[in-house]
Amino acid sequence: MRQARRRAIKGLYAITPDEVDTVRLLQQVEQALRGGASILQYRNKLADGVLRREQATALRDMTRGFGAIFIVNDDVQLASRVSADGVHLGAEDGDIAAARAVLGSDGLIGASCYNRAPLAVDAVRQGADYVAFGAFFPSSVKPEAVKADVQLLRSVRPELNVPIVAIGGITAQNGAALIEAGADALAVITALWDAADIEQAAGEF
């Protein structure tokens, strides 16, 4: 099961906006899933613990209905409680072994590796199922994010036997170069949720 899910990390990787209105969030996500998003990561920096549990539970049910992978950002315990497919960890979000102990052998674990190839190699050695690099382009969500060069993807692709996710200011126009360079999936926030037609934007990706 885990290997099948790992292989499914490809295509449009939608990361939720900071939306406290659960009804609106679900409407937006449904459009993205209808448009073809294959992975959804729940990330909401504005929600408290109760709201995060409510939203994550509802999104878990929705993604299951669409056959999409559901990942929780940063919070291993929340991922476990809502039976998410996995968790995504940043540099300060705990280690991979601890997450594996909670999620078990079937849980997916993704790791942010920024612009550092050695970090990715180490994450895979520790058991990460996919790695993420970026920001490749200026990001309005994280304007202070470290910059990654497209050449990084070309250099690490032969070294890594797990899916690679690219993130940071990605649009349907600039994303093709990242796929060509070796990315398996494109993680998108602004270009998706700020679109006038979310379903159409997802389809374009």
Side-chain angles (χ1 to χ4, degrees), residues 97-160:
R100 179 66 64 207
V102 174
L103 298 180
S105 60
D106 281 345
L108 289 177
I109 299 175
S112 290
C113 300
Y114 313 102
N115 60 358
R116 297 159 58 193
L119 197 60
V121 173
D122 188 55
V124 173
R125 181 183 59 78
Q126 293 181 48
D129 294 290
Y130 72 90
V131 295
F133 293 105
F136 286 97
F137 306 103
S139 168
S140 60
V141 175
K142 287 189 174 182
E144 77 290 352
V146 297
K147 301 299 185 287
D149 189 89
V150 176
Q151 182 58 36
L152 172 67
L153 295 173
R154 294 191 178 92
S155 64
V156 301
R157 177 72 280 174
E159 296 183 59
L160 301 175

Side-chain angles (χ1 to χ4, degrees), residues 68-129:
I69 296 289
F70 182 55
I71 302 290
V72 171
N73 179 261
D74 293 356
D75 193 332
V76 178
Q77 296 301 326
L78 178 60
S80 176
R81 282 196 294 270
V82 303
S83 299
D85 293 303
V87 68
H88 187 88
L89 302 175
E92 308 300 324
D93 299 326
D95 64 66
I96 291 169
R100 179 66 64 207
V102 174
L103 298 180
S105 60
D106 281 345
L108 289 177
I109 299 175
S112 290
C113 300
Y114 313 102
N115 60 358
R116 297 159 58 193
L119 197 60
V121 173
D122 188 55
V124 173
R125 181 183 59 78
Q126 293 181 48
D129 294 290

Side-chain angles (χ1 to χ4, degrees), residues 154-172:
R154 294 191 178 92
S155 64
V156 301
R157 177 72 280 174
E159 296 183 59
L160 301 175
N161 63 350
V162 300
I164 296 173
V165 178
I167 190 170
I170 297 173
T171 67

Side-chain angles (χ1 to χ4, degrees), residues 12 169-177 179 186 188 191-192 200-205:
L12 176 57
I170 297 173
T171 67
Q173 290 68 46
N174 64 29
I179 296 294
L186 302 178
V188 182
L192 184 61
Q200 180 180 331
E204 290 172 357
F205 275 103

